[in-house]
């Protein structure tokens, strides 16, 4: 049986931001909401879970391959996307630094681990992430990251190779905006 502490702890769900494109083709935050959790069940006392984003199956065969995944090359957009695969990576950003705006043909799940980050979208909006566990689902949109400080920021990203975003019948190409 779960302890009283485990069952009485009422923590909020996980924040999720989903990006996309407005009707005019400009990248923007499409939703910003708290995803609810639920008790997993009696076989997992004290365990709660909440869906963030679920995709269909990938043709991954890593369960049958002893290769060190960190030794593999990300051979897609800008050396961070793995063609027909995924790339799990961490990123550190110095206080006051801004990562260059960019778009990849990928679906990215970004999870804040520590520090603070602003997500800067093509439409100029800035969304602050300052709680470890905050999540951004990036869907082929132009975006940048800014660390307001005073400490380093670290986040985990799962990049999943994807078809390019299409707006007004036009596939949006990978781009770095300097």
């Amino acid at each position: 049986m779960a302890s009283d502490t485990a069952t009485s702890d009422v923590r909020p769900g996980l924040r999720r931001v989903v990006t996309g494109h407005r009707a005019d083709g400009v990248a923007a935050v499409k939703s910003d909401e708290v995803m609810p959790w639920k008790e997993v069940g009696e076989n997992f006392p004290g365990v709660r879970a909440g869906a963030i984003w679920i995709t269909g199956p990938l043709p991954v065969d890593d369960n049958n391959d002893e290769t060190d995944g960190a030794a593999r090359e990300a051979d897609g957009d800008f050396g961070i996307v793995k063609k027909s695969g995924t790339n799990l990576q961490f990123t550190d950003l110095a206080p006051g630094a801004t990562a260059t705006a960019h778009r990849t043909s990928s679906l990215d799940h970004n999870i804040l681990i520590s520090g603070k980050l602003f997500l800067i979208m093509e439409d100029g909006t800035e969304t602050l992430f300052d709680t470890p566990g905050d999540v951004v689902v990036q869907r082929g949109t132009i975006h940048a990251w800014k660390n307001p400080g005073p400490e380093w920021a670290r986040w985990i990203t799962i990049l999943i190779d994807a078809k390019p975003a299409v707006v007004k019948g036009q596939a949006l190409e990978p781009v770095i905006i300097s």
Side-chain angles (χ1 to χ4, degrees), residues 52-159:
I52 299 170
W53 198 271
I54 300 169
T55 65
L58 296 172
V60 174
D61 196 22
D62 280 10
N63 293 337
N64 304 305
D65 186 345
E66 296 302 317
T67 304
D68 180 348
R72 295 185 181 131
E73 180 183 354
D75 54 0
D77 302 346
F78 316 122
I80 60 172
V81 175
K82 175 67 177 165
K83 290 180 184 174
S84 300
T86 66
N87 179 14
L88 174 64
Q89 67 178 35
F90 71 90
T91 303
D92 293 332
L93 190 60
T98 300
T100 302
H102 61 283
R103 172 178 47 232
T104 55
S105 292
S106 59
L107 173 67
D108 306 343
H109 302 182
N110 301 276
I111 307 151
L112 182 66
I113 302 302
S114 62
K116 296 178 182 181
L117 284 173
F118 277 103
L119 167 66
I120 305 168
M121 295 301 298
E122 183 181 18
D123 67 359
T125 59
E126 295 188 10
T127 304
L128 177 64
F129 296 87
D130 60 358
T131 304
D134 282 354
V135 174
V136 177
V137 177
Q138 209 39 266
R139 301 188 306 155
T141 58
I142 294 175
H143 66 284
W145 301 101
K146 179 172 65 176
N147 179 351
E151 60 191 45
W152 283 78
R154 172 174 282 179
W155 69 99
I156 301 292
T157 303
I158 305 146
L159 297 104

Side-chain angles (χ1 to χ4, degrees), residues 1-8 38-49:
M1 183 163 179
S3 71
D4 287 341
T5 303
T7 57
S8 64
K38 65 178 183 176
E39 300 286 344
V40 173
E42 64 184 72
N43 291 329
F44 301 95
V47 178
R48 299 170 180 157

Side-chain angles (χ1 to χ4, degrees), residues 18-30 103 120-125 138-143 165-168 172:
V18 179
T19 66
H21 294 90
R22 298 187 318 214
D24 63 358
V26 174
V29 170
K30 300 297 279 188
R103 172 178 47 232
I120 305 168
M121 295 301 298
E122 183 181 18
D123 67 359
T125 59
Q138 209 39 266
R139 301 188 306 155
T141 58
I142 294 175
H143 66 284
V166 176
V167 176
K168 297 181 183 177
L172 304 178

